Amino acid sequence: MKKNILYLLLGVLALTSSCQDPEYVLPTADRQGITSLTALFTSGPYVDKEAVVYTIADASVDKYVIPMPWYYPENSDNETSEYMKTMRVQAKLAPNCTIEPVLSILDLTKENYFTYTDAQGYKKQICITGERVKSTKCQLLSFSIPSEDITGIIDEDHKTVSLISAEDLSSCLADYSLSAHVTMSPDPKTEPLNFNSPVELTVIAHDGVTKTNVYHSKSSTG
């Protein structure tokens, strides 16, 4: 009889447990709620094209400055300033995160404020704006001396340009190509240089600050 009572009690406990609501488990904290912001053109020849995809590296910030390229495409002379006021902005969010009001066409020359809610329900005000930035690319792509039919061999790792020739290169103009909107000093296209001896060529990025590469020419007899 005691065994029957014990079995009955165990059955009731099992039934009671199965009827209880499942335990609520908080979602895993995802501090990187906004992972990227994409700005697209809404007018002009590149309408609906992505101007930039801005990856969010710091989850703690509440102000997002989208780095708009100075030119689009980068190797063109088409400035982006006229499009900044009507950019369509899209956000890539982690699950259960929201931005209110919904992102749409923004004036990225101004500060635009929204309410961001993370997966745990925490809310904070965020600001989305934009800033045109100049390219930091800074590379010598080709180098030659047309008058002597010499093509330089560029060693990007060591920043050297090898000129192989038995000719006198004491006063030569050179031709070259660089990353878009980059400058070289001195400019061997307009200033004859003595390539019989090592010449220091400074390649300066479009932003003029971020990066400067110095290439050294060296000549040898072929």
Side-chain angles (χ1 to χ4, degrees):
M1 187 66 173
K2 289 183 178 180
K3 289 184 178 180
N4 290 338
I5 293 173
L6 179 60
Y7 292 150
L8 180 60
L9 289 173
L10 289 174
V12 171
L13 287 173
L15 182 61
T16 304
S17 299
S18 65
C19 293
Q20 289 179 344
D21 292 333
E23 181 181 1
Y24 177 71
V25 180
L26 286 171
T28 302
D30 189 348
R31 301 304 180 192
Q32 192 65 24
I34 306 176
T35 58
S36 68
L37 293 170
T38 301
L40 301 95
F41 294 104
T42 61
S43 62
Y46 302 104
V47 62
D48 294 330
K49 297 287 187 182
E50 292 181 354
V52 61
V53 177
Y54 174 42
T55 301
I56 311 300
D58 185 356
S60 65
V61 302
D62 54 17
K63 183 175 183 178
Y64 302 93
V65 183
I66 299 175
M68 282 285 295
W70 200 268
Y71 297 100
Y72 187 92
E74 187 179 58
N75 60 354
S76 74
D77 292 322
N78 302 321
E79 296 202 21
T80 57
S81 54
E82 64 180 292
Y83 305 110
M84 287 280 287
K85 293 185 177 182
T86 55
M87 298 297 296
R88 179 178 292 109
V89 177
Q90 300 172 343
K92 186 175 181 180
L93 301 173
N96 302 318
C97 298
T98 61
I99 294 177
E100 295 178 330
V102 175
L103 293 180
S104 58
I105 297 176
L106 302 182
D107 182 349
L108 292 182
T109 66
K110 299 180 179 179
E111 295 184 342
N112 305 275
Y113 290 92
F114 301 87
T115 299
Y116 164 72
T117 306
D118 68 12
Q120 290 74 44
Y122 171 76
K123 297 179 183 291
K124 70 174 181 178
Q125 186 181 65
I126 62 170
C127 173
I128 299 176
T129 186
E131 179 183 18
R132 290 178 71 210
V133 295
K134 295 180 178 180
S135 174
T136 60
K137 291 183 179 179
C138 183
Q139 188 174 351
L140 175 62
L141 302 176
S142 68
F143 193 90
S144 65
I145 299 180
S147 63
E148 302 297 338
D149 197 24
I150 299 171
T151 299
I153 300 172
I154 300 172
D155 183 341
E156 185 63 31
D157 291 336
H158 297 91
K159 298 294 184 291
T160 60
V161 181
S162 297
L163 303 170
I164 302 174
S165 174
E167 304 300 324
D168 179 17
L169 305 180
S170 59
S171 181
C172 293
L173 292 173
D175 195 12
Y176 58 85
S177 62
L178 306 167
S179 303
H181 309 292
V182 170
T183 58
M184 177 182 283
S185 179
D187 186 351
K189 286 185 178 181
T190 59
E191 179 182 345
L193 299 175
N194 180 11
F195 290 105
N196 286 334
S197 302
V199 174
E200 186 174 276
L201 302 167
T202 302
V203 179
I204 306 166
H206 183 218
D207 70 354
V209 176
T210 301
K211 190 176 181 182
T212 299
N213 284 334
V214 178
Y215 294 82
H216 293 85
S217 71
K218 55 180 183 179
S219 60
S220 59
T221 302

